Amino acid sequence: MERTSRISAALIFIAPLAVLVALWAIIVPVLEVRPQIFPSVAAVGKAGLESLIDGSLVRHVMASVSRVAIGTVLAVLVAVPLGILMGVSRGVSAFLTPLMRFFSVLAGIAWIPIATLWFGYGFGAIVFVIFNAVFFVVAYNTLLGVSTIPMTLRHAAASLGAGRRAMLTDVLLPGALPNIVTGVRTGLGFAWRGLIAAEMIATDVGLGYMLFVARDFYQTEVIVLGMIVIGTLWLLIDRLLLVPLERATIERWGLVST
Amino acid sequence: MKSLSLKNLAKTYFDAYKGEHVTAIRDVSLEVPAGEFVSIVGPSGCGKSTILNMVAGFIPHSGGDILVGGVPVKGPGPDRGVVFQSFALFPWKTVLDNVGFGPKMRGVPKARRDEIAREYLALAGLSHAADRYPNELSGGMQQRVGVVRALANEPDVLLMDEPFASVDAQTRMTLQDELSRIWEERRPTVVFITHDVPEAVFLANRVVVLSKGKVLAEVEVPISRPRVWDRLVADDEFKDLSNQVLALVRSA
Ligand SMILES: Nc1ncnc2c1ncn2[C@@H]1O[C@H](COP(=O)(O)OP(=O)(O)OP(=O)(O)O)[C@@H](O)[C@H]1O
Ligand SMILES: [Mg+2]
């Protein structure tokens, strides 16, 4: 029962995408669209196969995914403690909130030019942009998470003997976790977009770079292949990693309404 | 078990909205000997929760002394267990881990604290719920866990602020029966706050009537134990005492 409903949910999710591909397969030959404008399904399939065989696709994907992973992990490691500090200290939060508001607008691609000046073209600049995109959302959501923990829970923990450390690990962190996960999910969405933009400018490998170079040679089939890979990878990360994580915390603990 | 003593306790809040000071507790002195069950009743806003929150150490007091076993209270601590009206169970911990939280804070190893938690859960007939999460339990069961969690930490004084106010009348009577039985078995020192006069009389050795931040009267409850509702509903002594306290609360 559980299994079949999952499969049917997946089918319902995939069906519109399949329709889109079918339309594409019909329209391109019927309207005789030139390959310089838009490629045929077959051409994209061939480009995909070739790039798989020569290993270039894997190289681009690995480069992009590892940058996102490292930038995100670094951002979470800094943002969560800061968010918790803001959540428990009025002073810290009063001081940092205006700064966070200001910089969260700039987060992501607006930093690309200066990041390339600081870190040069390549890994450092791009990871910095990812860090930036994830950091503010996660810090803000952590703060939000801490401030939604009912005061009575902190009182209960204190009167059961919890010190500062236990308050952090047993109350504040788990209490804020659903919000933190939501923050990571949103932040990763920003990061993924920022990544593609940054890779177009600041590197020589990665999915954004792949798109950008293909444009110079009118290789629309490579461009479309890249776009499909970018979209699919994001859906996989979101559906297989982030959504289940969000569910596990929010639904299991019944934190949806409280 | 230790005694609790309040000496000329006072509390003034600063109402930031109105920009003025509000006196919630004028002058309260109260002795609760070790192992005694005291109920505090009084009309809404008379300062019941304020007293409890000061004794728990959640808010500072403005004057007087709070002594547990002769030692002044400074902030919250495991010597004073608290049962909250809103249950205040940790939603991310199972029932077993909620109850084992106090022992965990004392550094009791996992195997031993699970054993302690199971023993206390059995006391309230909750053994079957050990691996559930709080949001999977009814309100009545959640509050049983709340009581058991406080008891499992073996506090010197147990503080309860309208713990049964948010469960239905039927469940409330069951919980009162159970609390009475557990108290008779373990004899903790208890301060129990409630709006419900029969509840206060049913449970306590002594009922304190509070009015406008002062003690209006103290009424001894010499009814014999064990106390169960099946017997007390029709008991004349219980009815007389309840009416006496009710009249005091009305006049407060
Ligand atoms: N944080 C606060 N700031 C200002 N005034 C407060 C604050 N908390 C309580 N008060 C005031 O102190 C008085 C006593 O409040 P308290 O909550 O102790 O009453 P209570 O007897 O518990 O009432 P209830 O039966 O409704 O729970 C009330 O007049 C209340 O308005
Ligand atoms: Mg109250």
Side-chain angles (χ1 to χ4, degrees):
Chain A
M1 192 60 204
E2 173 97 328
R3 219 195 149 81
T4 50
S5 74
R6 265 216 193 152
I7 290 170
S8 65
L11 283 179
I12 289 170
F13 189 85
I14 288 171
L17 300 173
V19 169
L20 190 67
V21 173
L23 279 175
W24 171 23
I26 295 166
I27 287 174
V28 169
V30 166
L31 299 184
E32 294 178 2
V33 179
R34 282 185 302 141
Q36 292 94 319
I37 301 300
F38 208 83
S40 66
V41 176
V44 172
K46 186 159 160 282
L49 210 62
E50 277 168 6
S51 61
L52 270 179
I53 290 167
D54 69 17
S56 62
L57 184 61
V58 174
R59 209 157 38 83
H60 290 308
V61 167
M62 290 306 285
S64 292
V65 169
S66 65
R67 287 166 186 153
V68 168
I70 292 170
T72 302
V73 168
L74 287 178
V76 170
L77 286 180
V78 184
V80 168
L82 190 76
I84 288 183
L85 197 63
M86 287 175 74
V88 294
S89 159
R90 265 167 200 274
V92 174
S93 131
F95 182 79
L96 288 181
T97 301
L99 292 175
M100 302 269 291
R101 287 257 163 82
F102 180 80
F103 282 106
S104 66
V105 178
L106 292 175
I109 46 185
W111 285 88
I112 295 174
I114 204 155
T116 57
L117 289 181
W118 291 349
F119 299 98
Y121 285 81
F123 187 77
I126 295 172
V127 168
F128 178 79
V129 169
I130 306 284
F131 179 94
N132 233 291
V134 177
F135 176 80
F136 294 100
V137 200
V138 173
Y140 180 71
N141 273 275
T142 306
L143 164 66
L144 199 70
V146 169
S147 57
T148 54
I149 299 171
M151 203 52 180
T152 51
L153 281 188
R154 282 154 78 171
H155 282 159
S159 65
L160 288 164
R164 276 166 168 267
R165 205 194 147 124
M167 193 64 85
L168 183 67
T169 57
D170 286 64
V171 181
L172 300 179
L173 262 181
L177 193 59
N179 287 81
I180 294 174
V181 174
T182 305
V184 171
R185 196 178 163 205
T186 318
L188 261 177
F190 292 160
W192 196 240
R193 294 176 196 115
L195 169 88
I196 304 305
E199 283 180 342
M200 288 187 183
I201 297 167
T203 185
D204 54 10
V205 64
L207 290 167
Y209 173 77
M210 178 175 138
L211 291 190
F212 200 63
V213 170
R215 180 200 162 275
D216 287 346
F217 299 96
Y218 297 100
Q219 291 172 312
T220 53
E221 72 279 7
V222 176
I223 297 179
V224 171
L225 172 71
M227 291 166 75
I228 292 174
V229 171
I230 289 165
T232 309
L233 269 180
W234 171 251
L235 283 183
L236 287 178
I237 295 173
D238 194 51
R239 294 280 132 178
L240 299 184
L241 194 74
L242 301 175
V243 172
L245 203 62
E246 207 170 31
R247 273 211 193 120
T249 54
I250 296 177
E251 283 177 16
R252 186 81 217 248
W253 298 343
L255 295 177
V256 183
S257 52
T258 49
Chain B
M1 272 5 108
K2 285 185 182 156
S3 64
L4 169 68
S5 95
L6 311 182
K7 292 187 166 55
N8 305 108
L9 191 60
K11 175 69 187 179
T12 312
Y13 286 110
F14 181 69
D15 189 329
Y17 188 68
K18 288 186 190 155
E20 60 190 32
H21 292 275
V22 183
T23 303
I25 300 298
R26 285 173 201 287
D27 179 8
V28 167
S29 295
L30 182 65
E31 292 296 326
V32 186
E36 188 170 288
F37 196 123
V38 167
S39 293
I40 300 181
V41 294
S44 190
C46 70
K48 303 182 294 294
S49 297
T50 299
I51 293 182
L52 195 109
N53 287 332
M54 287 189 291
V55 175
F58 301 150
I59 57 173
H61 52 284
S62 324
D65 296 300
I66 304 170
L67 306 171
V68 172
V71 180
V73 158
K74 291 191 222 81
D79 55 330
R80 284 147 291 137
V82 183
V83 180
F84 299 84
Q85 180 177 347
S86 58
F87 317 144
L89 303 177
F90 306 117
W92 45 85
K93 288 182 186 291
T94 60
V95 165
L96 192 73
D97 288 342
N98 262 282
V99 178
F101 187 77
K104 180 181 178 185
M105 294 303 104
R106 278 184 274 135
V108 178
K110 172 83 176 142
R112 175 70 191 121
R113 66 177 187 255
D114 282 356
E115 207 177 306
I116 296 173
R118 283 187 199 285
E119 177 194 321
Y120 276 90
L121 284 171
L123 190 69
L126 278 170
S127 300
H128 62 286
D131 297 320
R132 303 254 208 101
Y133 283 86
N135 74 310
E136 300 168 337
L137 307 180
S138 68
M141 280 169 83
Q142 290 192 42
Q143 194 55 302
R144 282 190 183 89
V145 177
V147 173
V148 160
R149 179 178 69 176
L151 283 172
N153 207 26
E154 296 178 350
D156 297 323
V157 180
L158 190 59
L159 307 170
M160 307 173 92
D161 190 354
E162 306 201 36
F164 306 147
S166 48
V167 299
D168 64 276
Q170 193 67 41
T171 310
R172 193 179 312 152
M173 288 177 90
T174 316
L175 288 170
Q176 289 158 356
D177 273 342
E178 281 176 15
L179 179 61
S180 174
R181 175 177 55 80
I182 291 171
W183 183 83
E184 283 154 18
E185 271 176 40
R186 311 239 154 190
R187 297 280 169 155
T189 312
V190 182
V191 176
F192 188 101
I193 283 172
T194 179
H195 265 114
D196 180 341
V197 169
E199 173 176 74
V201 174
F202 176 83
L203 291 166
N205 301 116
R206 184 154 44 104
V207 178
V208 175
V209 183
L210 208 65
S211 167
K212 301 186 186 95
K214 293 178 102 164
V215 175
L216 180 71
E218 298 193 26
V219 179
E220 295 289 334
V221 184
I223 301 170
S224 67
R225 292 184 187 265
R227 295 184 194 163
V228 285
W229 276 117
D230 278 350
R231 177 167 71 84
L232 263 66
V233 271
D235 187 282
D236 287 332
E237 191 183 12
F238 174 74
K239 277 188 206 159
D240 290 346
L241 279 166
S242 295
N243 287 332
Q244 188 187 332
V245 174
L246 205 57
L248 284 164
V249 173
R250 289 247 170 84
S251 74

